[in-house]
Amino acid sequence: MFEIDSNSIWPTGYLINPMPEPIADRYLQDFEGVPSSIVSDCLGRNVGALGVKPYHGFKHMCGTAVTVRVRPGDNLMLLKALEMARPNDVLVVDGGGDTSRAIVGGIMRAMAMKTGVAGMVINGAIRDREDWAQGGLPVYALACVHRGPSTDATGEINVPVACAGLVVNPGDLIIGDADGVVAVCPSNLDRLLVQCRHLLDRERTIMAQIADGSLPKARFDALLRSKGCPI
């Protein structure tokens, strides 16, 4: 008879998977500073977290997704994930969208900065806003509230999560800036980089044309005619 080793069975509600392969340094360098809006445009303008706001200022964020799913208002598994985190990781936390209790604050910010974590994205709330406002560590969250978390609930680390409408898998490239946060599958990075560079070049050309007055004034007429508008 087949027997299951009881030592290999996780307690119900808990799961800690191995750490994902980190995004190669060359990609982190290539995508550093690339706006989230450019990435979003290249991904069809329909991908990205909704409702999360930067609480750290405007520092760009770029790193490897380490995902966490916690019970709303509890951060036990987030504390464990932070213990596991490596330099250039981004902790992406599904806190169920709950904003009644913060699941990360100033002490965890200090721990993350000591580790070299690249940032945090919280589908929930943070606290100790003045600490985050000093900058240094990017953080995106739905809200800020003074009420703190419990540390006694179940959760999962390095599983697919939904974070403020954004699907994130462990090992995805996470990019964030003042506009928002997007996630990219590693297998798409080479193609996406080419598209981003092309779009950035195109936007630089348009801005230069605006500045020198050479932007065609009737540049949308052909598009309007193709839609039946009598221009």
Side-chain angles (χ1 to χ4, degrees):
M1 178 182 296
F2 178 76
E3 295 183 359
I4 299 177
D5 180 2
S6 61
N7 292 324
S8 68
I9 300 176
W10 287 92
T12 302
Y14 292 95
L15 180 63
I16 301 176
N17 283 323
M19 294 292 279
E21 186 73 21
I23 298 293
D25 288 344
R26 69 182 183 92
Y27 289 123
L28 298 181
Q29 294 167 7
D30 286 338
F31 281 97
E32 180 61 37
V34 175
S36 64
S37 59
I38 293 294
V39 176
S40 178
D41 281 359
C42 292
L43 293 176
R45 300 188 171 184
N46 197 36
V47 175
L50 299 174
V52 294
K53 302 179 288 292
Y55 283 89
H56 61 280
F58 303 114
K59 179 179 173 63
H60 191 270
M61 180 179 71
C62 186
T64 305
V66 172
T67 62
V68 190
R69 181 182 292 121
V70 300
R71 189 189 71 184
D74 192 276
N75 72 353
L76 176 59
M77 294 300 274
L78 176 52
L79 285 164
K80 178 58 183 176
L82 183 54
E83 183 181 80
M84 297 166 60
R86 309 156 299 193
N88 298 321
D89 283 340
V90 174
L91 293 168
V92 181
V93 187
D94 178 12
D98 177 70
T99 58
S100 66
R101 299 174 73 174
I103 56 175
V104 61
I107 290 177
M108 294 178 70
R109 171 184 177 271
M111 294 166 60
M113 292 183 69
K114 184 67 173 179
T115 299
V117 167
M120 296 184 179
V121 185
I122 311 294
N123 185 27
I126 64 169
R127 69 176 183 176
D128 301 324
R129 187 170 186 166
E130 291 185 10
D131 290 345
W132 295 105
Q134 296 175 29
L137 180 68
V139 65
Y140 299 79
L142 295 177
C144 185
V145 66
H146 62 279
R147 297 174 64 190
S150 61
T151 54
D152 59 9
T154 58
E156 299 169 314
I157 297 175
N158 288 324
V159 296
V161 298
C163 185
L166 175 66
V167 176
V168 181
N169 289 291
D172 281 353
L173 176 67
I174 305 297
I175 293 173
D177 60 12
D179 287 336
V181 178
V182 292
V184 185
C185 176
S187 63
N188 292 334
L189 293 179
D190 286 317
R191 182 169 67 252
L192 177 64
L193 183 60
V194 172
Q195 294 172 323
C196 286
R197 285 173 171 169
H198 175 76
L199 183 54
L200 285 167
D201 287 343
R202 179 173 176 270
E203 291 198 350
R204 279 190 286 267
T205 297
I206 292 173
M207 294 296 284
Q209 290 175 331
I210 293 172
D212 65 19
S214 63
L215 188 70
K217 297 185 182 301
R219 65 194 186 106
F220 297 121
D221 286 359
L223 178 58
L224 287 167
R225 292 190 191 97
S226 72
K227 297 179 180 298
C229 183
I231 295 296

